[in-house]
Amino acid sequence: MLKLPLKYYDESGRILPPKWLYVLLAFFCLDWVIFIFSLASPSQTDTLLFLFYPQANSLGIALLASLPIGVSLLLLSQRERLWKRNLTGWPRALLPLMLLGISSAFCVVLYHEALVKWQFELFQGIRLLVSIASLYVVSQSRHLRWMVEDWQKGK
C-alpha cells in the first residue's frame, strides 16, 4: 500500500518532494535573487541593495544564513546524479539543513528588526511570519519524513 497518492511518486517509485517545498525554499533564497539582480544592473547596484538592506552588513549576514537552504535546493535538484553515483547518505542531511536555514533566516529577521529599533516593515514582517510557519510545517511534514526515508533506501 502506498503512503501517498500516486502523483507524488516518480517513474522509479521514489517519493517526489512536495511542490510547496520548492516555493518555500525559493522564498528563503530571495536574498540571493536580490543580490544577483542588483549585480545585473551595475549602475544601480548600490541603490537596489540599499532599498532592501539599509545596513551594510545585513546583506552578507542574510546570504550566509540562506546557504543551508541553497545546499538543500542543490541536493534536491541533483538527486538523480547522486543516486547514479551510489551516494545515498545525503538525504539524512536534508531536513536538518532546511531547519537550520529557516532558523537562520528567522534570526536574521530578528537581527534586522533590532537594528531598526523594532519599527514595523512589511517585508520583514512577512519574512518573520513565513519563517515561523515554515519551521512548523517542515518539522511536522509526514511527506518530507517519508520522502527522506524512501530516498535513504537508495532503491
Side-chain angles (χ1 to χ4, degrees), residues 2-139:
L2 297 175
K3 294 179 180 179
L4 296 167
L6 194 55
K7 66 180 181 179
Y8 294 112
Y9 291 87
D10 65 5
E11 301 83 28
S12 303
R14 290 188 183 107
I15 296 176
L16 291 170
K19 303 278 189 250
W20 58 263
L21 182 64
Y22 291 113
V23 173
L24 191 73
L25 295 178
F27 177 80
F28 285 107
C29 286
L30 198 57
D31 300 313
W32 285 98
V33 173
I34 292 169
F35 178 65
I36 290 169
F37 275 117
S38 71
L39 293 178
S41 60
S43 62
Q44 298 179 344
T45 298
D46 294 334
T47 307
L48 288 171
L49 289 178
F50 184 75
L51 182 64
F52 290 100
Y53 306 100
Q55 286 75 27
N57 63 350
S58 295
L59 175 64
I61 293 170
L63 291 177
L64 282 175
S66 62
L67 274 178
I69 297 291
V71 171
S72 298
L73 272 171
L74 185 67
L75 288 172
L76 283 172
S77 68
Q78 300 299 314
R79 63 185 180 271
E80 290 294 332
R81 287 184 184 180
L82 294 170
W83 286 326
K84 286 179 183 175
R85 293 186 178 154
N86 292 325
L87 299 172
T88 56
W90 62 269
R92 277 188 295 258
L94 274 177
L95 288 178
L97 276 172
M98 286 183 223
L99 291 172
L100 175 66
I102 294 168
S103 301
S104 300
F106 179 74
C107 291
V108 167
V109 171
L110 292 179
Y111 170 74
H112 177 75
E113 288 301 316
L115 285 178
V116 296
K117 299 189 180 8
W118 302 98
Q119 292 178 333
F120 179 76
E121 294 178 357
L122 183 61
F123 183 64
Q124 295 301 328
I126 291 170
R127 290 180 79 161
L128 187 67
L129 290 176
V130 171
S131 296
I132 292 169
S134 298
L135 280 171
Y136 178 76
V137 169
V138 169
S139 66

